[in-house]
Amino acid sequence: MEIKAVFFDIDGTLVNDSRMVLKSTEKAIRALKEQGIFVGLATGRGPFFVRPFIERYDFDFAVTYNGQYIFTKDKVLSASPIDKKNLHDLIDYAKNHRIEIALGTEDGVEGSRIMSFGLSPISLWSARFVPKGFSKAVSQGFNKVVSKVVPQDQKQLQQIAQGPVYQVLLLASPKDTQKVEQAFPDLKFTRSSPFAADVINPGNSKMEGIRIVGEEFGFSMDQVMAFGDSDNDLEMLSGVGLSIAMGNGTSKVKEVAQHTTTSNTKDGIQKALEHFGIITDQSLFVSRDDHFNKVKAFHQLMDGQTQEEPKAWDNQEALYRTMFKQEELVEFIRAASKDEATFDRSIESLHQALDEAANKVRSKHPAEISVVGQVDALIDTLYLTYGSFVLMGVDPEEVFEIVHRANMGKIFPDGQAHFDEVTHKILKPDDWEEKYAPEPAIQKELERQIKAYQKHCSEKIVESEETKKV
């Protein structure tokens, strides 16, 4: 599937641990924009925090407060405030159980100095050094001590709650949050921090927010690539066409995502985009043929070998390339054979045709290494392949994207490609079939094309009937 939009979580993903966007990430965003690919943010942060990123890095839209508030450069697409009764009940619950609470409005996170500090750069930086197992102790310690020394201003909270509140933040460990969830079944609890929970309306999420944006801008969830690192990214990563976990992400995020890149401090975004051929290593020449660029990215990843100046293959390497294609052609014949007898007869005919082709070529071309001859033969093969698709009535564009992703998934856990010692073919990791096998996705795409054709025929029939009535 062609990628038409890329979404980034902010904390732990778009920005590094110093809350800066890496130069490599800035460059990658520009490259996406130049290709006409939409770029967006999907975050638990509020719109007040996100707007400077949109202005500085030219993002097209943002899903904020975990899907509660969605906007573009020009307008608000969706705003979903928390129900007033639920909101006031939650404020009362937090007061009675001495839980620090903050309210997320369009203009800020208000009502708690401690929570505001917790969202500050210095707090986020220092939180990296607190072991995850201490999250409960930290949350309870703050709630117990702060509620005595600096009690929350309940009047202020009630005043803020008079206006639209899109997200509530609770200073609570995962275990303590479960107790609050049981008391509020009509609200949804998620988290991007081990120390605090985000509370939003049920049915909303980053994924739902992306779907809303897609309806506005004309792309489907299958055409979205998304990056994330925290548990509030799980729904998003499980629902998009191509999901990327940052190397610094949680274990749950890495389990859900299709691919894990390097961390937010080690060019993780750029490397993942290059890994899947969405953007190209600028040290290599770029073709106007995007399919060529993607395959080039594949070879750069697998063996680091690309040829920047036209050069002919030697005989042995040319033979290997031909043998690779030969297996695919035999597979093509197999898929056109109704039984074993038909397949066997086809293979016999293929052997005969090979001999006849060899005799024909001997009479036409001298035996010599010729880059012109190799290019002419390969481009004819490419043209014939497109012709086969034309006569099948299949658009190969989306199918190519599916196969490209499957091929890019052949990197092993050690970060390297592995090759068969005899055939030199690229081997597949143990989990490749489960994560990347292209056949199910190809089947789905072909079913989509068939339905699109049938719909077109139905519309033509209706149009014809309407014409007859006139």
Side-chain angles (χ1 to χ4, degrees):
M1 183 68 69
E2 178 188 5
I3 296 299
K4 292 187 177 180
V6 180
F7 282 82
F8 306 97
D9 170 51
I10 296 180
D11 297 300
T13 301
L14 179 71
V15 299
N16 63 12
D17 295 342
S18 299
R19 309 235 17 91
M20 301 292 292
V21 176
L22 298 177
K23 292 295 183 183
S24 64
T25 301
E26 286 189 53
K27 185 177 179 181
I29 292 170
R30 287 197 299 270
L32 291 171
K33 298 281 291 184
E34 288 169 2
Q35 294 182 60
I37 295 174
F38 294 116
V39 288
L41 297 167
T43 176
R45 295 279 195 166
F48 64 94
F49 183 89
V50 169
R51 286 193 177 96
F53 286 92
I54 289 183
E55 294 172 5
R56 179 170 180 179
Y57 302 105
D58 197 26
F59 285 100
D60 296 295
F61 30 66
V63 175
T64 67
Y65 282 143
N66 293 302
Q68 295 276 100
Y69 193 101
I70 306 164
F71 65 101
T72 71
K73 297 175 183 177
D74 307 315
K75 62 181 179 179
V76 177
L77 295 183
S78 175
S80 179
I82 294 176
D83 173 77
K84 291 299 182 184
K85 184 178 186 309
N86 284 333
L87 180 59
H88 288 289
D89 287 348
L90 188 58
I91 292 172
D92 291 340
Y93 182 97
K95 175 185 176 182
N96 295 333
H97 291 79
R98 295 167 67 180
I99 297 175
E100 190 77 8
I101 191 173
L103 308 180
T105 69
E106 183 179 356
D107 300 318
V109 175
E110 306 174 75
S112 170
R113 286 184 238 175
I114 297 301
M115 295 289 277
S116 297
F117 170 77
L119 294 171
S120 67
I122 187 171
S123 176
L124 290 168
W125 174 82
S126 60
R128 292 182 298 142
F129 304 101
V130 179
K132 292 183 179 180
F134 284 78
S135 61
K136 181 177 181 180
V138 171
S139 300
Q140 289 182 339
F142 267 110
N143 282 319
K144 187 175 181 180
V145 174
V146 172
S147 62
K148 288 184 177 181
V149 179
V150 190
Q152 282 202 276
D153 186 338
Q154 294 298 314
K155 185 176 180 180
Q156 181 192 24
L157 288 174
Q158 295 295 341
Q159 287 176 342
I160 296 169
Q162 296 304 310
V165 172
Y166 299 98
Q167 181 168 271
V168 177
L169 285 78
L170 300 176
L171 185 62
S173 69
K175 186 174 181 179
D176 291 335
T177 301
Q178 290 177 0
K179 298 177 183 178
V180 188
E181 282 188 78
Q182 293 173 1
F184 292 89
D186 294 334
L187 291 174
K188 180 176 180 178
F189 292 72
T190 184
R191 59 195 313 119
S192 56
S193 161
F195 311 114
D198 302 333
V199 187
I200 59 176
N201 288 326
N204 283 351
S205 65
K206 291 184 180 183
M207 183 179 74
E208 177 63 15
I210 291 173
R211 187 192 64 76
I212 291 171
V213 174
E215 288 182 351
E216 179 76 14
F217 285 83
F219 56 82
S220 68
M221 294 299 290
D222 287 342
Q223 294 171 318
V224 172
M225 182 181 193
F227 290 77
D229 71 299
S230 298
D231 289 356
N232 69 340
D233 296 317
L234 292 173
E235 286 184 69
M236 173 178 73
L237 295 179
S238 64
V240 300
L242 184 55
S243 53
I244 310 298
M246 303 303 292
N248 52 286
T250 67
S251 57
K252 288 183 180 179
V253 166
K254 292 177 182 178
E255 288 174 7
V256 166
Q258 293 164 272
H259 176 75
T260 298
T261 186
T262 53
S263 75
N264 63 327
T265 62
K266 296 183 178 179
D267 305 319
I269 287 175
Q270 178 196 42
K271 288 181 179 178
L273 290 168
E274 289 182 353
H275 174 94
F276 286 99
I278 311 299
I279 63 174
T280 305
D281 184 345
Q282 295 303 304
S283 65
L284 310 175
F285 83 79
V286 179
S287 170
R288 286 181 295 175
D289 182 346
D290 192 48
H291 288 168
F292 174 89
N293 292 331
K294 284 183 167 61
V295 175
K296 188 168 188 177
F298 166 75
H299 281 280
Q300 180 70 10
L301 176 68
M302 292 300 159
D303 52 27
Q305 296 181 1
T306 57
Q307 181 63 32
E308 301 302 293
E309 179 184 0
K311 175 185 176 183
W313 291 92
D314 64 30
N315 181 264
Q316 187 60 58
E317 292 297 329
L319 181 59
Y320 283 140
R321 302 303 303 175
T322 303
M323 289 167 66
F324 295 161
K325 288 191 281 288
Q326 174 183 271
E327 181 179 337
E328 301 306 326
L329 292 173
V330 171
E331 186 177 327
F332 175 72
I333 291 174
R334 180 75 171 180
S337 302
K338 62 181 181 180
D339 52 37
E340 289 295 333
T342 303
F343 179 64
D344 290 341
R345 287 195 298 271
S346 297
I347 295 302
E348 290 177 8
S349 297
L350 187 61
H351 282 295
Q352 182 179 349
L354 184 61
D355 291 335
E356 292 174 357
N359 291 331
K360 182 179 179 180
V361 170
R362 283 193 186 97
S363 66
K364 290 176 59 178
H365 305 287
E368 62 177 359
I369 295 178
S370 167
V371 66
V372 174
Q374 291 179 14
V375 169
D376 178 65
L378 289 172
I379 207 67
D380 284 345
T381 302
L382 185 61
Y383 204 93
L384 287 167
T385 299
Y386 272 109
S388 297
F389 279 119
V390 169
L391 298 177
M392 289 176 74
V394 172
D395 179 357
E397 177 68 26
E398 306 296 345
V399 178
F400 180 93
E401 296 294 332
I402 292 167
V403 173
H404 175 64
R405 290 186 202 172
N407 284 335
M408 296 298 270
K410 292 178 181 177
I411 289 294
F412 277 69
D414 62 2
Q416 302 295 321
H418 295 185
F419 298 85
D420 186 284
E421 294 181 358
V422 177
T423 66
H424 300 278
K425 290 191 69 173
I426 296 170
L427 300 177
K428 302 170 184 175
D430 291 339
D431 62 351
W432 185 87
E433 289 290 339
E434 177 185 352
K435 286 188 174 181
Y436 296 105
E439 288 82 4
I442 292 174
Q443 175 70 32
K444 182 179 178 181
E445 169 59 21
L446 292 178
E447 289 173 355
R448 184 196 67 78
Q449 292 189 25
I450 291 170
K451 288 180 181 178
Y453 173 73
Q454 291 173 342
K455 181 181 178 182
H456 171 75
C457 290
S458 298
E459 291 173 348
K460 285 293 184 183
I461 292 173
V462 171
E463 184 180 322
S464 176
E465 293 296 326
E466 293 295 328
T467 303
K468 288 179 182 178
K469 290 179 183 179
V470 174

